[in-house]
Amino acid sequence: MDNTRVTRRARTALAIAAGTALTAVAVQIPASATATPAAPHRAAAASAAQHASLSAGAAGDTSYDDTYYKDAVGKTGQALKDSLHRIISGTQTGKLTYSQVWDALKETDQDPDNSANVILLYTGRSQSKNSNGGNPDDWNREHVWAKSHGDFGTDTGPGTDIHHLRPEDVSVNSTRGNKDFDNGGTKVAEAPGNLTDDDSFEPRDAVKGDVARMILYMAVRYDGGDGFPDLEPNDNVDNGSQPHIGRLSVLKQWSEQDRPDAFEKRRNQVIFDKYQHNRNPFIDHPEWVDEIW
């Protein structure tokens, strides 16, 4: 799993180094497709990976544009946000209880190399599906949009929306707590690549974009209806119990730098097919982040 993400990061780095001289060509990648990592030491493979990364990043996945997203395509700004809200809230016909989240995460976050395990979000560790619980080295249910930011708890709704719930080591989850997201801090000993300070948390590079797209999904999905608060990102940290999470400027950078990979795309598809029946539009169309914010 980690090797797949590292390879994908290498592709992104190659694309950035190439500059903007390349013309991005729109491609269609089915939401259920899995990526086959290119061998980074071969020049021809690296060139192909570079071109595919630029193309997919610029155009997004158009597989659902004629059906699921047909009322959103072509819109920008608030009109796009409003349209996406109607789509992803109207199609969310499956809503889980908090106890049902356990089994859902065992499937959405399954290790592609070991079906008995899940991949933990911040540590990247592959761990037995059955080691979930409350002990320090167990995994539990991490609310990426911290539930105290809006005080929505674990009731069915934002508290159980698996588009932003992920498996994580119990003690690392505690270290993240309800902190906002930002760059910088000291190393998290149990989760290499992650940093934290008094008011913010920086995830490892391989999931920075995942975190950003989960936060922005929540901001579009929950707009003050359904009896829940209007969740919005802002450019602050230490937001406390306000229904806000920051920093938006950093989250946008993370989404741009860490584009959706095969694991994230598969996860989106499993949620759509088997559980909530709605999609995270920023996985399918990461370019919509800049169209709205």
Side-chain angles (χ1 to χ4, degrees):
M1 168 56 199
D2 280 345
N3 288 340
T4 300
R5 289 193 171 220
V6 169
T7 304
R8 190 258 303 142
R9 295 294 302 169
R11 293 178 181 173
T12 304
L14 284 168
I16 293 171
T20 58
L22 290 174
T23 301
V25 179
V27 296
Q28 283 194 352
I29 305 172
S32 58
T34 55
T36 302
H41 64 283
R42 297 175 61 182
S47 177
Q50 176 189 67
H51 185 266
S53 176
L54 283 172
S55 300
D61 181 352
T62 62
S63 300
Y64 287 88
D65 284 7
D66 293 333
T67 53
Y68 191 79
Y69 295 121
K70 62 185 176 65
D71 293 332
V73 172
K75 295 179 180 178
T76 61
Q78 189 64 43
L80 175 59
K81 185 180 180 186
D82 291 345
S83 181
L84 290 175
H85 169 74
R86 289 191 293 270
I87 292 168
I88 65 178
S89 59
T91 58
Q92 190 183 351
T93 55
K95 296 183 180 181
L96 305 179
T97 66
Y98 198 44
S99 62
Q100 289 173 329
V101 167
W102 287 118
D103 287 336
L105 293 182
K106 291 176 182 179
E107 184 163 9
T108 59
D109 291 74
Q110 179 175 292
D111 184 345
D113 297 322
N114 184 347
S115 62
N117 287 8
V118 292
I119 299 294
L120 308 190
L121 177 64
Y122 301 131
T123 66
R125 187 169 71 236
S126 178
Q127 185 157 325
S128 170
K129 291 178 177 180
N130 296 323
S131 67
N132 59 300
N135 295 320
D137 290 325
D138 288 343
W139 64 267
N140 61 4
R141 297 158 291 187
E142 155 73 334
H143 289 80
V144 177
W145 185 294
K147 57 185 182 289
S148 64
H149 288 237
D151 195 26
F152 51 74
T154 59
D155 292 338
T156 296
T160 65
D161 193 318
I162 53 175
H163 275 297
H164 86 115
L165 281 160
R166 301 290 292 266
E168 187 45 60
D169 177 272
V170 168
S171 55
V172 175
N173 193 344
S174 179
T175 297
R176 188 267 157 140
N178 68 348
K179 295 173 183 176
D180 294 84
F181 293 103
D182 197 2
N183 290 316
T186 58
K187 295 179 180 179
V188 179
E190 198 172 350
N194 298 261
L195 303 172
T196 192
D197 56 24
D198 291 340
D199 55 19
S200 70
F201 189 88
E202 178 183 348
R204 59 194 177 99
D205 288 347
V207 296
K208 279 183 165 69
D210 306 51
V211 166
R213 287 181 284 274
M214 286 185 278
I215 292 294
L216 299 178
Y217 160 87
M218 292 291 283
V220 171
R221 170 62 185 86
Y222 299 99
D223 69 346
D226 300 337
F228 296 108
D230 183 3
L231 305 182
E232 284 295 335
N234 62 17
D235 217 35
N236 302 323
V237 293
D238 201 15
N239 276 294
S241 62
Q242 300 178 86
H244 306 304
I245 279 186
R247 297 184 184 269
L248 175 59
S249 58
V250 172
L251 293 171
K252 289 176 63 178
Q253 291 172 6
W254 290 353
S255 182
E256 178 66 27
Q257 293 166 2
D258 174 35
R259 290 288 178 161
D261 64 5
F263 186 90
E264 193 179 0
K265 291 177 182 179
R266 177 194 173 275
R267 189 176 197 279
N268 196 29
Q269 193 66 33
V270 171
I271 293 172
F272 179 66
D273 289 338
K274 297 195 64 175
Y275 293 101
Q276 295 184 181
H277 311 302
N278 67 344
R279 305 183 68 81
N280 182 334
F282 304 112
I283 295 174
D284 295 325
H285 282 282
E287 73 278 9
W288 281 347
V289 171
D290 284 334
E291 294 288 350
I292 295 175
W293 288 280

